[in-house]
Amino acid sequence: MTAQYQVQDGVAVITLDNPPVNGLGHSTRLGIVEGMTRALDDAAVKAIVITGAGKAFSGGADIREFNTPKAMQEPTLHSVIRVLEGSSKPVVAAVHSVAMGGGLELALGCNYRVASKGAQIALPEVKLGLLPGAGGTQRLPRVIGLEAAANMIVSGTPVLSEKFAGTKLFDEIVDGDVLPAAVKFAQNVGAATGPHPKVRDLKVRHENPEGYLGFARNTVAAMAKNFPAPLKCLEAVAGSLKPFEQGLKEEREGFLFLVTTPESRALRHAFFGERAASKIPDVPEGTATRKIEKVAVIGAGTMGGGISMNFLNAGIPVTILETKQEALDRGVGIIRKNYENSAKKGKLTQEKVEQRMGLLSTTLSYDEIKDADLVIEAVFEEMGVKEIVFKKLDEVMKQGAILASNTSTLDVNKIASFTKRPQDVVGMHFFSPANVMKLLEVVRGEKTGKDVLATVMQLGKKIKKTAVVSGVCDGFIGNRMIEQYSRQAGYLLDEGALPEQVDKAIEKFGFAMGPFRMGDLAGNDIGWAIRKRRAVDKPDIQYSKTADLLCEMGRYGQKTGAGWYDYKAGDRKPYPNQQVNDMIVQHSKDLGITRRKISDEEIVERLVFALVNEGAKILEEGIASKASDIDMVYLTGYGFPLFRGGPMLYADQVGLYNVALAMKRYAKGYHGEAWQVAPLLQKLADEGKGFNG
Ligand code: 3HC
Ligand code: NAI
């Protein structure tokens, strides 16, 4: 049983004890009911306190039980709360640290609530695509009012306990340790004659509920476009104006509806995926890590500057090394400008700007970085330059320093071989802009030490990145997959589509940006350079020639004011260009292709399934250790729509049988060779399984 029971001076204390955050799993729920039974049977007990051990009152339903029969096994949270509300002795919640989701609902089922200051109070279910399913939508409005409750439940945002002073949510808010205060409170109410208050008996009052709800519905509908949960949350809260049992019934129906939606599945997948990404199968938890107190960055270009900012933001000093003073001055100038811009927008105080800049130093000499615990190389993407840098690092860096490369395409094993300490070498592939993008691909070389991996994953969390481990291959997880997507985008142009149609179709599917707008943003010349290299290294890989023709027209993208689209100064809006479209049509003619009308559905399938097929290969080769890692890469680094949960979960939701069938159809079409179904995908489809089980 994961709840403890003790009696102190006539007060029974039930302590939830289910680390890490006292999730209300089955054994904890059982423990509460059993504690209640003991307390009610014991004539010496006059009142009951419920609290949580360790670092939370309760983080809510035990998310480890989601999608298992235990989640619904009696006593459910509803049943537990019924026991609390039916108690003949007063029940006091002693809330501290965190009371979220079901944890807050449990507290609302008590007669009284005492909280310590600074506790985070939330009903965050909406973030998992759900609504609070154990009476939260009915009880919270009764204690803090309709509007405040709607705001909290629709947004899921935590609010500090002291902000509720003066509401009926808390009877007392105390500084310091809550338990003694709650026990004292319980002794007092235990001595008083009942009946003791129940939240369910309160009435929700509002001057103009219909007016408010009409406004709120419009606002929420506009904000929550692709997610059904926020509106359902609001409807459930609106139900609190009805008789309690009626509102509770509607809440239940809303919850049962949402739990089966693909959007909720996607959000829960992302929630677990984020946490699962930090767990590496053969690197046990508790693996010793190295201390990272000083960081050095080689190269003050686009990436070096952004990478440095991550560490400065986390309070870790950084020294940037360059070959020329001008490059250092330029790089540092850009970092300062970025911070000043944040300060102008009110996101950072001037004091913080100076604090962060104060942690930054620059040098032209390796001598000044030799003591760094971690060095990240972000120089030109050329093996020759990497070789010079890593040989030098091997020579000068202290023993035990981690040597990382930010390479986006080069072989990390080869880079490691330039040193006599390959176990200390790892890829840290940041995404541009590196101070903004959440994703960090941690590239595990053949010889990378487990402690190095564990250290870098831990550091990723510290600098607020979603760190995902990738094995070594061309493009790692993200870029290797995007290449297949880009190839399909090019072929679609050859066959009959125009950039605007392709972009609009995939943006309607939910991508932040279509492939051609993305190309214009990143610079079409980057892909051009890669294709030129591929033409030598891997001449078998085919591409549509349209992207090369575009670059030959000097249309590199936004940086030249013209790419697949035209751009006006100071405006990122794309305007279709007739010359580009004519070039595409002419190219089809040159290939002897009769252009056809391509449906938006085909565009989406070909782009997304191209990702899925390559993802399956990556999984099969062990480059990614689980499908959710691939999804996390796409959700945090490539603008894949969150409500679809990433390419691999999306494929599961479509059904792998259907995905494989579509691929075989495309295999008969233009450049059908790109549609060899990955063996793992076919196997799972045959077995009626998905990538995520
Ligand atoms: N159940 C079980 N484990 C949980 C949990 C929960 N509800 N919430 C978090 N954890 C686990 C995490 O998975 C993590 O485990 P790990 O160390 O093995 O990876 C550990 O607790 C620590 O989590 P964080 O790294 O997120 O730690 P923080 O201290 O930063 O945050 C927190 C703690 C604020 C509780 C945060 O984890 C959080 O927001 N959790 C989600 C809470 C939530 O969504 N609750 C609602 C659940 S749905 C519900 O209650 C339905 C009900 O209405 C019927
Ligand atoms: P960049 O050209 O903006 O910057 C490179 C910097 O390295 C320049 O300032 C240059 O002076 C410096 N440099 C070159 N040789 C050096 C040496 N021997 N010692 C010290 N400094 C040296 O390049 P960018 O875009 O920052 O890319 C750097 C690395 O990051 C490359 O490996 C690239 O593939 C990778 N990358 C780039 C991304 C992007 O979107 N730009 C995304 C992810 C990774």
Side-chain angles (χ1 to χ4, degrees):
M1 211 91 66
T2 45
Q4 304 158 13
Y5 181 86
Q6 270 173 338
V7 179
Q8 292 181 20
D9 305 325
V11 174
V13 177
I14 300 172
T15 307
L16 317 184
D17 191 8
N18 185 16
V21 295
N22 300 320
L24 293 161
H26 182 245
S27 79
T28 310
R29 302 194 301 267
L30 259 183
I32 301 171
V33 173
E34 215 172 276
M36 286 298 297
T37 309
R38 279 173 77 176
L40 293 174
D41 286 349
D42 183 347
V45 168
K46 302 295 177 209
I48 301 148
V49 166
I50 299 184
T51 194
K55 66 174 196 174
F57 172 75
S58 169
D62 193 329
I63 52 180
R64 291 165 297 196
E65 282 187 1
F66 274 21
N67 306 326
T68 73
K70 276 197 168 170
M72 293 295 178
Q73 202 173 325
E74 289 287 5
T76 61
L77 190 52
H78 268 290
S79 305
V80 174
I81 292 173
R82 201 164 295 130
V83 171
L84 304 184
E85 283 190 332
S87 168
S88 55
K89 300 177 184 178
V91 187
V92 181
V95 172
H96 66 91
S97 314
V98 168
M100 288 194 179
L104 180 56
E105 293 176 302
L106 182 78
L108 286 165
C110 298
N111 301 106
Y112 304 97
R113 286 156 297 280
V114 177
S116 61
K117 276 193 187 153
Q120 294 190 63
I121 310 298
L123 287 175
E125 287 82 349
V126 70
K127 294 184 178 168
L128 302 174
L130 300 171
L131 56 77
T137 64
Q138 303 307 297
R139 292 188 180 88
L140 193 63
R142 284 175 159 78
V143 291
I144 66 168
L146 187 70
E147 292 192 23
N151 283 341
M152 273 184 78
I153 293 170
V154 168
S155 72
T157 310
V159 179
L160 292 179
S161 52
E162 54 266 34
K163 298 260 185 272
F164 296 104
T167 72
K168 295 195 169 99
L169 178 52
F170 295 121
D171 299 275
E172 224 176 87
I173 299 173
V174 299
D175 277 316
D177 198 354
V178 73
L179 188 58
V183 169
K184 193 150 168 260
F185 187 98
Q187 281 169 334
N188 289 340
V189 291
T193 39
H196 296 280
K198 289 180 197 163
V199 174
R200 59 153 59 214
D201 296 336
L202 300 170
K203 282 264 165 306
V204 179
R205 292 183 211 288
H206 194 282
E207 279 175 12
N208 176 12
E210 278 319 310
Y212 164 67
L213 287 169
F215 158 78
R217 271 185 201 110
N218 288 337
T219 317
V220 174
M223 269 166 29
K225 268 192 320 215
N226 294 312
F227 294 92
L231 260 184
K232 286 274 175 199
C233 281
L234 186 66
E235 292 311 334
V237 173
S240 67
L241 293 157
K242 300 180 185 171
F244 185 79
E245 287 300 336
Q246 173 68 23
L248 207 59
K249 183 169 160 275
E250 289 180 12
E251 177 194 89
R252 189 85 207 130
E253 286 163 3
F255 184 87
L256 290 176
F257 166 79
L258 286 173
V259 90
T260 59
T261 57
E263 292 83 359
S264 174
R265 188 162 172 216
L267 287 168
R268 282 180 278 145
H269 177 69
F271 181 91
F272 285 114
E274 169 106 39
R275 283 156 180 80
S278 63
K279 302 192 165 61
I280 311 165
D282 63 335
V283 180
E285 264 177 69
T287 298
T289 53
R290 301 187 189 179
K291 233 179 22 204
I292 305 292
E293 289 170 348
K294 270 198 260 174
V295 172
V297 173
I298 315 286
T302 312
M303 296 306 287
I307 291 170
S308 301
M309 288 176 73
N310 289 297
F311 296 98
L312 301 175
N313 297 348
I316 302 173
V318 177
T319 305
I320 309 185
L321 181 145
E322 262 284 353
T323 48
K324 293 202 182 77
Q325 188 61 40
E326 302 88 85
L328 281 177
D329 295 343
R330 197 182 49 237
V332 171
I334 294 172
I335 295 179
R336 176 167 279 283
K337 207 168 116 217
N338 282 340
Y339 280 138
E340 300 281 356
N341 282 343
S342 300
K344 267 190 217 139
K345 289 183 197 148
K347 289 186 190 159
L348 210 60
T349 60
Q350 196 58 38
E351 194 192 342
K352 283 243 163 78
V353 172
E354 297 311 328
Q355 229 174 46
R356 291 179 191 186
M357 289 306 293
L359 291 171
L360 179 63
S361 54
T362 59
T363 184
L364 298 171
S365 156
Y366 277 87
D367 226 28
E368 289 185 38
I369 62 161
K370 62 179 191 233
D371 288 334
D373 304 305
L374 163 70
V375 49
I376 304 174
E377 163 280 307
V379 303
F380 300 137
E381 185 73 343
E382 281 166 36
M383 200 49 113
V385 187
K386 309 278 187 202
E387 178 170 1
I388 295 170
V389 170
F390 273 82
K391 283 193 165 150
K392 186 73 186 171
L393 290 175
D394 192 27
E395 195 183 304
V396 300
M397 295 308 293
K398 70 173 182 190
Q399 283 308 310
I402 295 178
L403 316 182
S405 172
N406 181 49
T407 179
S408 36
T409 50
L410 300 176
D411 181 346
V412 173
N413 291 328
K414 181 128 194 232
I415 293 177
S417 75
F418 300 138
T419 74
K420 287 185 273 322
R421 35 174 137 172
Q423 75 282 358
D424 296 340
V425 177
V426 66
M428 286 178 80
H429 184 212
F430 289 84
F431 287 70
S432 181
N435 52 317
V436 178
M437 296 295 290
K438 283 278 286 173
L439 178 61
L440 171 64
E441 271 183 328
V442 174
V443 186
R444 177 179 192 170
E446 260 164 30
K447 297 192 177 145
T448 304
K450 291 185 181 179
D451 61 333
V452 170
L453 266 181
T455 305
V456 171
M457 296 306 281
Q458 194 183 56
L459 191 64
K461 201 167 178 184
K462 189 157 182 195
I463 59 170
K464 300 197 166 66
K465 298 290 179 199
T466 299
V468 178
V469 176
S470 169
V472 175
C473 67
D474 195 350
F476 314 128
I477 297 174
N479 285 343
R480 174 168 159 185
M481 286 166 67
I482 208 76
E483 188 172 348
Q484 301 308 324
Y485 165 99
S486 304
R487 284 174 75 198
Q488 286 304 318
Y491 293 153
L492 284 162
L493 298 187
D494 293 354
E495 286 188 82
L498 290 173
E500 195 184 19
Q501 189 201 355
V502 175
D503 282 348
K504 284 208 164 133
I506 199 77
E507 284 163 19
K508 200 158 153 237
F509 174 80
F511 264 85
M513 212 183 264
F516 298 107
R517 280 178 63 204
M518 180 57 91
D520 279 356
L521 181 68
N524 297 308
D525 51 322
I526 296 181
W528 196 24
I530 295 176
R531 286 190 301 278
K532 280 180 189 161
R533 208 174 64 212
R534 291 263 201 284
V536 180
D537 296 351
K538 298 182 181 170
D540 292 347
I541 303 183
Q542 308 279 308
Y543 304 94
S544 160
K545 289 274 180 300
T546 48
D548 296 348
L549 295 171
L550 184 82
C551 289
E552 284 167 19
M553 292 161 83
R555 302 183 68 102
Y556 292 173
Q558 288 192 24
K559 61 183 165 188
T560 56
W564 294 103
Y565 301 95
D566 285 334
Y567 297 89
K568 295 181 183 160
D571 176 5
R572 288 178 180 271
K573 195 165 175 266
Y575 296 91
N577 172 279
Q578 193 55 48
Q579 235 187 322
V580 171
N581 291 352
D582 288 346
M583 174 273 283
I584 292 167
V585 172
Q586 182 58 44
H587 182 60
S588 306
K589 233 186 238 159
D590 294 347
L591 290 172
I593 293 173
T594 309
R595 291 174 68 82
R596 65 182 172 93
K597 186 167 166 23
I598 300 178
S599 70
D600 286 359
E601 192 194 355
E602 178 175 342
I603 291 173
V604 168
E605 275 196 353
R606 283 176 55 180
L607 295 187
V608 177
F609 292 173
L611 292 176
V612 171
N613 206 28
E614 198 63 25
K617 292 178 192 165
I618 282 173
L619 206 53
E620 190 162 28
E621 291 167 25
I623 297 294
S625 65
K626 45 199 170 308
S628 65
D629 281 359
I630 296 175
D631 286 336
M632 290 321 294
V633 166
Y634 266 77
L635 292 175
T636 57
Y638 292 82
F640 198 96
L642 175 61
F643 68 96
R644 300 197 190 271
M648 308 313 269
L649 185 78
Y650 176 71
D652 283 354
Q653 306 231 41
V654 171
L656 296 191
Y657 174 82
N658 299 318
V659 173
L661 213 58
M663 288 180 177
K664 284 175 196 156
R665 206 170 58 240
Y666 294 130
K668 292 187 185 134
Y670 182 59
H671 278 289
E673 77 281 354
W675 290 109
Q676 298 293 319
V677 179
L680 175 67
L681 198 162
Q682 188 61 61
K683 177 171 167 283
L684 292 170
D686 291 345
E687 291 168 358
K689 290 188 185 153
F691 292 117
N692 293 282

